[in-house]
Every structure is written in C-alpha cells, then in structure tokens.
Amino acid sequence: MEGIVIRGLGGLYTVLSQGETFDCRGRGGLKRNRNILYVGDRVEFENGAIEEILPRRNVLPRPPVANLDRLGIVIARSDPLPNLYTVDKLAVISEHCGVKPFLVFNKSDLDDPLNVSSVYSSLGYSCFPVCARTGEGVEELRSYLMGKITAFAGLSGVGKSTLLNAIAPDLVRETGEISRKLQRGKHTTRAVELFPFGDGFLADTPGFSELEFGPCGLIDRSLLAGYFPEFEPYLTECFFRDCAHGREKDCAVRRAVEEGKIPRSRYENYLRMYEEIGPLRPWETEK
Ligand SMILES: Nc1nc2c(ncn2[C@@H]2O[C@H](COP(=O)(O)OP(=O)(O)OP(=O)(O)O)[C@@H](O)[C@H]2O)c(=O)[nH]1
Ligand SMILES: [Mg+2]
Ligand SMILES: [Zn+2]
C-alpha cells in the first residue's frame, strides 16, 4: 500500500493511506541504507512495515519534513520579539531546498517595536499579517494554503499551533494557551506533525530557540547571495564577477544597501551567514 508519513516518534511512524492511519515501523533495509524517514515522506508499506520511500521532491533538514510546497515562517510582532537572523536563515535554507518561503506576521494585536513587516514586505515574499487569537487575516492565509503542503516554522511561542487551530478549527492542537488554563504549564509542540487540509496538508513543527539553530548546513557560500531574492537585480552589476558582496571594490549589492534599496538587516545577516558557513572542506562536499 501507498501512504504518507504524518507523524514519527521513536522509530514508530503513523502512515495515512486512503483516509485511514496505520502504525508502522521502518524496515531494517531502510536503516541499513541510511534512509532516514521524514514526516511528509510518501512510502510503500505492508503489515506495519515501511518498505520503500518514494522519490522526494525536496527535504527540509530543519524543521525536518519532506515534500513541501511552501514553508511559512511565523514571526510574532512581539512576545517573543522577532529574531531576524533566524528568519533570514530559515528563508535561505528553504530556498536552498527548493521550498517557497512566505512570511506570517502573527499577533497583530500587539505592538511591532522592530517594525519587521516593513523589512520583508519589499522583498518579493508573500506576507500575511494575522492575529491567530482573533482570527483577523486568517481567511486570506487559508486561501493561500489550499491544495498545498505547507509547514509552519518559527521561534517557540510565536503562535504556530494557535494559527493552525485558527486555520483549521477541526484539527485543534494543544497550544501554550490551552494548557495554561489546565494548569499543566506551558505546552509546546514536541514533534513535526502533518494534518490533512483540503486537498493538501499543514505541518505544525516544534519551535526552536536561537541557540538551537545551527549553521546553514552544507550550503556552498557562492550560492548564498542567490537565496536573497532582493539581491538579484544587482548581482550582475558588481565589479568582480565572483564578488562576495563584502568589502570588494564597486559592489552593487553594498551600494543598493547604502541607497536603501536592500534592507540593512538582510545584508548584515547575509554577511553573518557567509562567515558562518566558511569555505567548504573537501570531506563536507562528499555525498
Ligand atoms: N496576543 C496574542 N497571543 C497569541 C496569538 N497567537 C498565539 N498567541 C499566544 O502565544 C502563545 C504561544 O502560542 P503557541 O501556538 O503555543 O506557539 P507555538 O509557536 O506553537 O510554540 P511552540 O509549539 O513552542 O513552537 C500562547 O499563549 C498563545 O495563546 C495572537 O495572535 N495574539
Ligand atoms: Mg506549537
Ligand atoms: Zn558585490
């Protein structure tokens, strides 16, 4: 039978197939071939054993999920305050994996002290200001998600689970809010989980703190600038063809930053990622 992995915990997977769920384990053969199973994987399974992973369209290492159409980067205007470095990193990783990122500015009922929406609305990413608590703006977002496979990612507490509840009330997820009422302390999503939504799926993912978020994986740093869509018009204008857009002479990207055409925070985060990635050592490029 064929199905899609919607949950995985401790080697036990839930596979959805024709409206029914099945508890499965990965067959030994999968492990031997170092095939890690991801939520979102389409698989062949039989008698509670996953035999085969069907070819993936893409796989996002963080949050770990396969076969996405889009990644929704969720930012709260405050509580917690946005961390633009993690936002930009998520966007870069998503672009690198061939998943289209978009932005959700949640908690529109709160102040926006860092004025983050102004940074991102000019970049060419779709942006959705919403209030998951009141449902404001959720309808526009819902139509954008129809028929697609979308995961929500972002810092812990930005409201990803609350947002999922607002989009699809019949799925009701536990959120920080609900469990506070039950006096069980703050609930936080622990694992990636996929929910059927119309013809598509929505994935809730555990939030991360800035510290947990490692470097940009094995992205070749010469590709990095290409993952900043707003740099695109300037990339061919630099004096050096292999310009890294740092201190090089006549860098068109740096000029665009100085002229206010590229947000300074995006440029600074580009430089920071560039440094962080470092040149790839030979053994890191081996498949
Ligand atoms: N003021 C306000 N609070 C919100 C809004 N949306 C969510 N919250 C609150 O933010 C807190 C965290 O919400 P969650 O949905 O659990 O956040 P999360 O992103 O799923 O967190 P993790 O599962 O830890 O990653 C809860 O107390 C929510 O009630 C909103 O639009 N406005
Ligand atoms: Mg959550
Ligand atoms: Zn340059």
Side-chain angles (χ1 to χ4, degrees):
M1 291 169 76
E2 223 178 275
I4 180 164
V5 177
I6 57 169
R7 213 165 25 224
L9 211 62
L12 203 63
Y13 300 90
T14 307
V15 178
L16 179 71
S17 177
Q18 298 173 348
E20 270 187 82
T21 56
F22 300 84
D23 291 332
C24 293
R25 290 189 174 277
R27 269 274 295 261
L30 289 179
K31 272 197 205 111
R32 270 198 299 283
N33 297 326
R34 290 193 296 166
N35 280 333
I36 305 164
L37 273 160
Y38 284 84
V39 168
D41 267 332
R42 299 192 172 271
V43 295
E44 281 172 8
F45 68 103
E46 209 180 308
N47 299 328
I50 296 172
E51 313 264 349
E52 204 79 61
I53 306 173
L54 300 177
R56 291 175 179 136
R57 290 165 56 205
N58 53 55
V59 54
L60 210 63
R62 192 178 282 257
V65 51
N67 297 319
L68 288 179
D69 291 304
R70 292 171 178 158
L71 181 74
I73 302 174
V74 185
I75 305 165
R77 294 174 70 171
S78 61
D79 187 28
L81 272 182
N83 180 312
L84 299 193
Y85 190 54
T86 60
V87 169
D88 291 340
K89 222 174 194 182
L90 266 178
V92 160
I93 292 172
S94 183
E95 298 260 8
H96 180 66
C97 296
V99 177
K100 196 176 151 80
F102 67 96
L103 292 142
V104 180
F105 301 105
N106 189 30
K107 310 202 184 184
S108 60
D109 54 321
L110 304 180
D111 283 340
D112 184 7
L114 304 184
N115 199 10
V116 276
S117 33
S118 75
V119 174
Y120 292 94
S121 50
S122 62
L123 307 185
Y125 290 128
S126 297
C127 293
F128 297 89
V130 301
C131 181
R133 193 170 267 180
T134 62
E136 200 187 316
V138 168
E139 194 50 52
E140 286 88 340
L141 179 57
R142 191 185 286 122
S143 8
Y144 184 70
L145 303 172
M146 277 295 169
K148 306 279 183 207
I149 307 181
T150 306
F152 289 110
L155 293 179
S156 191
V158 291
K160 299 177 293 297
S161 300
T162 311
L163 186 63
L164 238 85
N165 289 343
I167 295 165
D170 48 325
L171 298 179
V172 178
R173 312 284 311 121
E174 273 189 296
T175 66
E177 185 78 348
I178 290 172
S179 52
R180 233 186 337 248
K181 279 188 197 142
L182 299 174
Q183 305 282 305
R184 264 197 270 123
K186 209 171 154 178
H187 186 275
T188 175
T189 307
R190 300 256 173 243
V192 180
E193 194 168 349
L194 211 56
F195 302 94
F197 174 68
D199 292 337
F201 286 92
L202 297 178
D204 196 7
T205 73
F208 43 80
S209 70
E210 188 201 357
L211 291 176
E212 285 165 322
F213 214 65
C216 294
L218 302 181
I219 295 176
D220 183 328
R221 42 182 201 179
S222 67
L223 299 176
L224 189 61
Y227 299 140
F228 286 72
E230 76 276 27
F231 290 11
E232 214 266 337
Y234 311 105
L235 295 179
T236 52
E237 310 281 304
C238 294
F239 181 80
F240 294 110
R241 242 163 73 116
D242 59 351
C243 184
H245 321 299
R247 295 174 203 276
E248 289 88 344
K249 166 184 168 180
D250 280 345
C251 170
V253 171
R254 205 177 59 234
R255 193 161 54 237
V257 176
E258 274 146 24
E259 288 169 0
K261 292 172 180 156
I262 291 174
R264 188 163 291 275
S265 71
R266 291 275 294 170
Y267 177 62
E268 282 168 359
N269 287 341
Y270 160 81
L271 292 177
R272 191 171 155 191
M273 273 180 243
Y274 192 90
E275 286 303 315
E276 199 182 277
I277 295 169
L280 279 183
R281 284 149 291 188
W283 61 88
E284 288 178 325
T285 55
E286 272 174 37
K287 279 270 137 62

